[in-house]
Amino acid sequence: MSQPFAKLPAWADYGLLPLINLFVAFLVAGLVVLLVGESPIDAAVLMIKGAFGSGDGVGYTLYYATNFIFTGLCVAVAFHCGLFNIGGEGQAYIGGLGVTLVGLGLGNVLPWWLAFPLAILASALVGALWALIPAWLQAKRGSHVVITTIMFNFIAASIMVYLLVGVLKPRGSQAPETRVFGDGGQLPGLGWLLNVVGLNMRSAPLNISFLLALLAAFLVWLLIWRTKLGYEIRTMGFSPKAARYAGISELRIIIITMMISGALAGMMALNPIMGAQHRMQLDFVAGAGFVGIAVALMGRSHPAGIVLAAILFGMLYQGGAEIAFDMPNISRDMIVIIQGLVILFAGALEHMFRPSLQRIFQRVGRAKRETIPAVAAGGGQ
């Protein structure tokens, strides 16, 4: 009978394994860059420089990371309950409706520091309600949440197209977007924060929703690992039978978890709508809901790992744009390929190297166990 693999230490599971996956992804991406006649080393240096070499570069990197933190947390919370919520794209899209209603209705009435909390509540509520429907279908009717959330992504996109083209668009305008919000619907930037560390941010849209994303990550950590509800969520994800035996209501936990997940996705809309565009435009989510899946996988569904993985993907977005501008042979499509490779190895193939690492740690552990008795016997002599 084969022996079970040794369990990886936490530092290897949460640190070493993701780094190996990331290294292999960039190695394969380097081969792709080499095939088009460019230097992988020059491309890597240009990507890092474009993402972190200036105040605007850092600003754009953290701006993209803000979106991915919210959507990564959305996916992670559902993961802990054993649910695969891939509807973050649609939930963020619909959540933008809540932000927009606050921006349009109160942007000219309230200052931003009063409108912002209302927009947070509105975006979270609308995103949660949009996630409630697939949650109820899963809990009461047995409909698989993966299928329903995929469908709801397309439904959300269709609803928002209808609203932006026929309802929310200003009269006489041809663009599918709302009017620009008043000053109360525009979030202040974080240029002052980068100035503290000596970086001059001029045009990057980094705004205070980045701080909200960090706060959300901390609150998710408290929820999952420091509350009774979090314990019930993790128990349901680990063993639904054990959760039911312990008296945990499966219906209640699934619905609450999905609504929290949808609320986090809905809050992502604050960053592009109130923080950057100051109005709602068509397709403002721009795939961030799907990138959140890879962010959650790479971050091992832990808020700290999600923040780091989100910054990595922010670097890929901002640094990739810099490469596409300075290296003509590497088009924007090539950047998408590089991003896809990172998603492939960090997400779909995240466990590819786990068995090998487990064998190594198993052999190391066996060697230590054999060494200790030998040393003890030698000392006894």
Side-chain angles (χ1 to χ4, degrees):
M1 183 176 179
S2 61
Q3 296 294 323
F5 288 125
K7 183 179 179 181
L8 291 176
W11 66 268
D13 196 8
Y14 292 95
L16 180 60
L17 190 58
L19 286 176
I20 292 175
N21 290 330
L22 187 61
F23 173 77
V24 174
F26 279 114
L27 186 64
V28 176
L31 295 177
V32 173
V33 172
L34 198 61
L35 287 175
V36 298
E38 297 286 356
S39 168
I41 296 176
D42 292 343
V45 170
L46 193 59
M47 174 175 288
I48 295 173
K49 183 180 178 181
F52 301 110
S54 65
D56 276 338
V58 173
Y60 273 103
T61 298
L62 296 182
Y63 168 76
Y64 294 129
T66 303
N67 295 336
F68 304 147
I69 291 172
F70 281 120
T71 56
L73 291 173
C74 156
V75 175
V77 168
F79 273 168
H80 283 293
C81 191
L83 302 169
F84 194 9
N85 177 19
I86 58 175
E89 187 85 2
Q91 291 150 19
Y93 217 162
I94 292 293
L97 181 61
V99 180
T100 301
L101 293 178
V102 172
L104 291 176
L106 301 175
N108 290 319
V109 178
L110 298 178
W112 75 265
W113 49 271
L114 287 179
F116 186 41
L118 295 176
I120 293 172
L121 293 175
S123 62
L125 178 62
V126 175
L129 291 176
W130 192 249
L132 171 63
I133 306 172
W136 186 85
L137 291 172
Q138 162 92 13
K140 292 290 289 184
R141 299 298 180 184
S143 302
H144 203 291
V145 72
V146 170
I147 304 300
T148 53
T149 50
I150 288 175
M151 294 170 60
F152 270 67
N153 284 336
F154 290 101
I155 295 172
S158 299
I159 290 175
M160 298 309 289
V161 168
Y162 167 75
L163 291 175
L164 284 173
V165 170
V167 179
L168 297 175
K169 185 180 68 173
R171 184 174 299 177
S173 173
Q174 296 299 316
E177 61 186 29
T178 67
R179 64 171 173 83
V180 176
F181 302 155
D183 292 341
Q186 302 181 19
L187 298 181
L190 286 182
W192 59 269
L193 184 61
L194 296 184
N195 289 336
V196 172
V197 295
L199 294 173
N200 182 23
M201 189 182 81
R202 296 186 300 273
S203 61
L206 179 65
N207 58 84
I208 62 169
S209 58
F210 173 68
L211 302 180
L212 178 65
L214 297 181
L215 176 61
F218 175 70
L219 293 177
V220 167
W221 175 80
L222 284 180
L223 168 69
I224 298 299
W225 282 280
R226 291 295 184 271
T227 66
K228 177 186 175 183
L229 176 60
Y231 175 78
E232 292 175 339
I233 290 173
R234 287 184 289 119
T235 303
M236 183 63 67
F238 183 76
S239 175
K241 289 183 179 179
R244 288 191 291 268
Y245 182 78
I248 298 173
S249 170
E250 185 173 6
L251 171 65
R252 180 177 68 91
I253 292 300
I254 288 177
I255 288 179
I256 290 176
T257 302
M258 281 295 292
M259 290 187 72
I260 293 173
S261 178
L264 289 164
M267 289 164 64
M268 172 260 158
L270 294 161
N271 188 41
I273 293 179
M274 286 187 75
Q277 302 165 1
H278 305 144
R279 60 189 182 276
M280 185 166 71
Q281 296 176 316
L282 199 63
D283 196 25
F284 66 86
V285 183
F290 298 115
V291 175
I293 299 173
V295 168
L297 288 170
M298 190 169 187
R300 294 295 186 270
S301 297
H302 192 287
I306 286 170
V307 171
L308 294 176
I311 293 174
L312 169 67
F313 276 89
M315 181 195 77
L316 290 175
Y317 269 63
Q318 171 58 21
E322 193 78 15
I323 290 177
F325 182 77
D326 287 357
M327 288 186 167
N329 289 336
I330 301 180
S331 64
R332 186 61 189 172
D333 293 334
M334 291 289 297
I335 302 303
V336 173
I337 292 175
I338 294 173
Q339 293 168 355
L341 288 170
V342 175
I343 293 174
L344 176 66
F345 284 96
L349 301 179
E350 65 160 340
H351 296 302
M352 184 171 66
F353 300 105
R354 182 180 292 274
S356 299
L357 272 181
Q358 288 174 326
R359 291 190 193 97
I360 293 172
F361 278 94
Q362 186 180 37
R363 291 169 185 167
V364 171
R366 188 185 302 120
K368 286 183 178 179
R369 288 192 296 270
E370 293 173 353
T371 302
I372 292 174
V375 171
Q381 294 177 358

